């Protein structure tokens, strides 16, 4: 990782033109991508959700079209791209993408699918390369996505131009405090606008250190049975489950294993509710609390108060959970960031990074890394509880009667207000308010034709 | 054999890296790739892969071999022999010497057979 902070470059907000693909006489027939009216499946005023949104294959296909394709989606951390040719492969919805730094030092992202027969042109998780070569027939693309080699080029007709067959580029790339996001939607609002007041809450994790954040260790990936929204929703809105689901972990972590103190069980706090579907919850307490002692001792809380303000240090810096709509979540004090990659209505892949302050000395980084893995790594004592719940909910959702019984999202209805201390609208720590906002945004996108749909 | 060409100071080519010398300089049919193995030794081969249009100076160099950056054909740095598919034809090699911290290239000017 580069040690000179001046050597790091934020990607310029990029709005390249969407790649024009030659279609010839091809056209998709009406009915291939039917629009289902899901308006009746989510009632955020009454706090009711129909379980079909977690199980139906047609609704899932529509989510890929109308929720994932138009939204800003998290791709990677800038720290993963030190020099030209460094790449990382990930997904936007179910679309495979390559994120890379090209020879002009620009961060770009491309659809990881050969324009010839469609295989991936990069099969590695991450690394350094000079070209992306399809292993099927050998079409090769450079770091800017340009088609640079076609075996048996002479066999193609005279009007074949390699310039028309480059990799499909993700037109919108932007970053916020080191987090790179991308969108296929050339009409999307700028990333900063799409994040809105959520950035104030995100800064409790990303802006503690003037030097920014770094990725430590590898990226953990695991598969869970469960619809992606179960995880995204919980990280937006759910402190409620903590005392029940994580009782054994709380018991274990409490001093002398006598169980947590009453004031920890009966915490007060706030929950940020964002009309763009984001959400964040956190206890409110005068004392900040990094649980790993080495980390707790290292932080200068006075300096943090000066930098981020009392409200943040006594709020999202005590602990907490958050989701950036649709499928990026983080835990500000643990240092865990993750994407819930959708893999069909019944399955998700969790991809989790450990992201820590750049200025931390190695022994503090190590203490924080171990603490994060112990709690929210793939076998973490809290993570295991959460995965079990999501898979439990999913495993029975296909029952005919089960599927028709609405779920309750009524906690804290009407509690959203501007409390004068935390930006935007907030609710109580224990509330479904951000969950209702998450599903309201989901419904809004699902019932609105996306930019790529031909208007009737 | 043509007169030697001074290419660059030794430190300009890191171990595992290559430098393409244009044919307008070398006077050869193809450009020449000056390649430095991961043990520090210098070698020189024709730059264009014998399979498809690709620059071996951009390739991956290690363990006495260069791998084409496009389709992963490998050539022996010492002999120019094609070591695996998709390349089937060997590649022309040239002499390279280090004199007083400078890399000197002695291109093989024999006509292309």
């Amino acid at each position: 990782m580069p040690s000179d902070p001046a050597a790091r470059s934020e990607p310029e907000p990029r709005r390249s033109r969407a790649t024009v693909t030659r279609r010839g006489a091809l056209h998709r027939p009406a009915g291939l991508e039917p629009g289902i009216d899901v308006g009746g499946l989510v009632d955020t005023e009454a706090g009711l959700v129909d379980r079909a949104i977690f199980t139906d294959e047609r609704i899932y296909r529509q989510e890929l079209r109308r929720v994932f394709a138009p939204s800003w989606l998290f791709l990677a951390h800038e720290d993963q791209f030190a020099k030209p040719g460094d790449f990382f492969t990930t997904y936007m919805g179910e679309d495979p993408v390559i994120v890379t730094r090209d020879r002009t030092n620009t961060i770009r992202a491309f659809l990881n699918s050969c324009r010839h027969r469609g295989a991936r042109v990069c099969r590695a998780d991450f690394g350094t390369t000079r070209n992306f070569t399809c292993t099927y027939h050998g079409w090769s693309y450079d770091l800017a996505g340009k088609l640079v080699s076609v075996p048996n080029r002479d066999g193609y007709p005279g009007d074949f131009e390699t310039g028309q067959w480059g990799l499909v580029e993700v037109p919108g790339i932007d970053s916020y405090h080191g987090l790179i996001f991308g969108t296929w939607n050339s009409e999307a609002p700028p990333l900063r606008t799409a994040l809105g007041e959520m950035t104030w809450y995100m800064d409790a994790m990303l802006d503690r250190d003037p030097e920014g954040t770094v990725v430590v260790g590898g990226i953990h990936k695991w598969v869970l049975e469960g619809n992606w929204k179960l995880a995204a929703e919980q990280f937006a809105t759910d402190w409620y489950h903590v005392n029940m689901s994580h009782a054994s972990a709380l018991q274990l972590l409490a001093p002398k294993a006598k169980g947590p103190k009453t004031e920890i069980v009966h915490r007060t706090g706030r929950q940020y509710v964002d009309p763009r579907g984001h959400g964040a919850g956190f206890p409110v307490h005068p004392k900040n609390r990094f649980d790993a002692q080495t980390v707790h001792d290292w932080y200068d809380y006075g300096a943090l108060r000066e930098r981020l303000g009392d409200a943040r240090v006594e709020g999202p810096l005590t602990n907490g959970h958050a989701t950036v709509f649709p499928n990026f979540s983080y835990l500000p004090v643990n240092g865990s960031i993750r994407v819930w990659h959708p893999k069909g209505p019944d399955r998700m892949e969790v991809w989790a990074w450990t992201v820590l302050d750049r200025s931390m000395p190695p022994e503090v980084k190590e203490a924080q890394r171990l603490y994060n893995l112990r709690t929210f790594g793939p076998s973490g004592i809290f993570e295991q509880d959460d995965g079990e719940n999501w898979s439990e909910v999913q495993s029975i959702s296909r029952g005919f009667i089960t599927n028709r019984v609405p779920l309750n999202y009524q906690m804290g209805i009407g509690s959203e207000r501007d409390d004068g201390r935390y930006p935007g609208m907030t609710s109580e720590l224990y509330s479904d308010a951000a969950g209702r906002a998450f599903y309201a945004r989901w419904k809004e996108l699902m019932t609105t034709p996306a930019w790529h749909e031909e208007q009737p | 054999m043509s007169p030697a060409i001074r290419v660059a100071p030794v430190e300009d080519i890191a171990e595992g890296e290559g430098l393409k010398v244009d044919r307008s300089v070398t006077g050869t049919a193809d450009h020449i790739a000056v390649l430095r193995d991961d043990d520090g030794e210098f070698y020189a081969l024709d730059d264009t892969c014998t399979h498809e249009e690709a620059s071996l100076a951009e390739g991956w160099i290690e363990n006495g071999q260069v791998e084409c950056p496009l389709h992963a054909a490998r050539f022996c740095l010492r002999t120019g022999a094609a070591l695996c598919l998709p390349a089937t034809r060997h590649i022309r090699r040239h002499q390279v010497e280090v004199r007083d911290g400078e890399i000197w290239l002695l291109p093989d000017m024999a006509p292309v057979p």
Side-chain angles (χ1 to χ4, degrees):
Chain A
M1 62 188 71
S3 55
D4 174 12
R8 301 195 314 275
S9 59
E10 299 246 326
E12 293 282 305
R14 282 167 50 76
R15 283 319 177 89
S16 60
R17 200 178 284 272
T19 309
V20 177
T21 53
R22 255 181 104 166
R23 301 196 67 81
L26 299 179
H27 62 281
R28 308 203 110 191
L32 187 64
E33 295 168 341
I36 298 170
D37 181 3
V38 301
L41 300 177
V42 170
D43 181 349
T44 50
E45 283 189 19
L48 298 171
V49 166
D50 190 305
R51 287 177 89 154
I53 71 166
F54 301 115
T55 57
D56 190 273
E57 176 70 27
R58 293 161 302 174
I59 291 175
Y60 175 73
R61 302 294 309 170
Q62 190 160 318
E63 281 180 340
L64 297 182
R65 276 199 339 268
R66 288 189 174 172
V67 175
F68 287 96
S71 297
W72 283 101
L73 303 173
F74 175 75
L75 298 178
H77 191 291
E78 282 170 16
D79 193 38
Q80 295 174 256
F81 310 94
K83 58 184 186 301
D86 286 355
F87 69 86
F88 173 66
T89 54
T90 183
Y91 290 87
M92 295 171 72
E94 286 215 41
D95 291 309
V97 292
I98 307 166
V99 188
T100 190
R101 189 182 279 283
D102 74 9
R103 286 178 196 275
T104 66
N105 260 320
T106 307
I107 302 255
R108 309 172 76 145
F110 303 98
L111 189 67
N112 189 4
S113 176
C114 185
R115 292 291 303 281
H116 174 234
R117 288 290 194 278
R120 280 177 295 165
V121 297
C122 181
R123 306 270 286 264
D125 293 343
F126 65 94
T128 305
T129 191
R130 287 162 187 168
N131 295 284
F132 300 106
T133 299
C134 181
T135 51
Y136 197 174
H137 302 89
W139 281 28
S140 286
Y141 305 84
D142 67 14
L143 299 177
K146 197 173 145 227
L147 180 59
V148 292
S149 175
V150 176
N152 195 32
R153 167 79 176 76
D154 294 343
Y156 285 87
D159 65 350
F160 175 80
E161 286 178 44
T162 52
Q164 291 186 346
W165 296 95
L167 292 176
V168 173
E169 183 160 12
V170 179
I173 297 287
D174 201 355
S175 77
Y176 184 73
H177 279 313
L179 305 184
I180 304 166
F181 289 76
T183 179
W184 296 108
N185 182 2
S186 40
E187 296 166 16
L191 175 64
R192 192 67 182 66
T193 308
L195 293 173
E197 282 148 322
M198 187 66 189
T199 56
W200 188 91
Y201 297 90
M202 293 169 78
D203 288 356
M205 175 170 184
L206 303 173
D207 196 31
R208 294 192 292 251
D209 182 355
E211 300 283 299
T213 55
V214 291
V215 176
V216 296
I219 293 149
H220 288 108
K221 305 173 179 180
W222 64 98
V223 179
L224 279 179
E225 299 300 318
N227 185 275
W228 67 273
K229 294 189 291 300
L230 296 170
E233 165 216 304
Q234 183 190 294
F235 272 66
T237 201
D238 197 334
W239 192 275
Y240 188 36
H241 75 287
V242 171
N243 294 326
M244 186 70 197
S245 292
H246 301 310
S248 60
L250 292 174
Q251 186 87 15
L252 190 70
L253 288 179
K256 297 175 187 166
K258 282 182 178 171
K261 292 177 181 168
T262 310
E263 58 265 34
I264 289 181
V265 176
H266 301 285
R267 277 184 190 180
T268 56
R270 302 300 292 166
Q271 185 181 96
Y272 171 60
V273 185
D274 192 305
R276 303 160 201 86
H278 319 312
F282 46 87
V284 173
H285 193 274
K287 282 189 181 169
N288 184 277
R289 186 179 70 98
F290 279 86
D291 287 311
Q293 192 63 33
T294 313
V295 182
H296 182 69
D297 292 343
W298 181 75
Y299 269 109
D300 176 347
Y301 291 110
L304 281 177
R305 281 176 183 273
E306 205 161 301
R307 181 172 180 79
L308 297 170
D310 291 342
R312 255 189 296 222
V313 172
E314 294 169 13
L317 255 164
T318 64
N319 208 325
H321 56 79
T323 289
V324 173
F325 188 91
N327 65 332
F328 174 71
S329 297
Y330 66 90
L331 301 166
V333 173
N334 276 77
S336 178
I337 67 172
R338 65 265 305 281
V339 179
W340 319 105
H341 284 309
K343 299 288 174 188
D346 298 322
R347 187 174 298 176
M348 68 181 115
E349 269 184 33
V350 189
W351 289 25
W353 290 244
T354 302
V355 167
L356 305 177
D357 295 356
R358 185 177 288 269
S359 302
M360 279 180 170
E363 67 277 11
V364 179
K365 281 199 178 95
E366 184 64 1
Q368 181 70 0
R369 183 183 77 84
L370 291 175
Y371 181 76
N372 180 43
L373 293 187
R374 211 172 279 140
T375 51
F376 283 96
S379 62
I381 53 177
F382 289 83
E383 191 71 45
Q384 287 286 303
D385 301 332
D386 292 329
E388 161 66 16
N389 287 332
W390 303 327
S391 296
E392 158 63 19
V393 171
Q394 193 72 28
S395 68
I396 55 166
S397 289
R398 282 184 181 279
F400 173 72
I401 299 296
T402 315
N403 199 265
R404 293 169 60 91
V405 180
L407 300 179
N408 183 306
Y409 288 78
Q410 295 176 324
M411 197 189 301
I413 282 188
S415 67
E416 301 92 333
R417 63 190 170 93
D418 179 352
D419 73 349
R421 184 165 165 85
Y422 290 98
M425 299 296 278
T426 54
S427 177
E428 305 302 323
L429 175 65
Y430 296 102
S431 173
D432 292 325
R436 288 190 295 275
F438 177 92
Y439 288 112
R441 175 64 176 153
W442 180 87
K443 179 166 142 177
E444 179 190 353
L445 286 171
M446 286 288 279
T447 52
T448 309
W451 94 98
H452 53 77
E453 295 178 58
E454 286 172 3
Q455 302 300 322
Chain B
M1 196 66 72
S2 68
I5 299 163
R6 192 166 62 88
V7 176
V10 163
E11 58 271 20
D12 277 16
I13 306 179
E15 289 169 5
E17 296 292 326
L19 181 74
K20 175 171 146 181
V21 185
D22 198 89
R23 63 178 161 225
S24 64
V25 175
T26 61
T28 45
D30 189 14
H31 316 295
I32 293 179
V34 177
L35 308 167
R36 189 173 194 187
D37 202 358
D38 51 6
D39 64 0
E41 283 295 307
F42 286 94
Y43 300 90
L45 303 173
D46 269 6
D47 185 56
T48 306
C49 181
T50 60
H51 164 241
E52 287 283 342
E53 185 82 24
S55 166
L56 293 182
E58 296 276 299
W60 304 98
I61 302 151
E62 61 180 14
N63 204 19
Q65 304 177 1
V66 56
E67 180 183 298
C68 174
L70 289 192
H71 303 109
R74 281 181 286 113
F75 298 92
C76 176
L77 290 173
R78 201 168 46 78
T79 66
L83 299 174
C84 71
L85 288 172
T88 52
R89 285 167 287 137
H90 81 281
I91 196 157
R92 176 175 293 216
R93 55 178 287 272
H94 305 271
Q95 269 186 273
V96 65
E97 293 175 2
V98 175
R99 303 175 190 163
D100 297 330
E102 301 272 345
I103 306 160
W104 290 79
L105 179 62
L106 296 89
D108 176 356
M109 303 299 286
V112 177

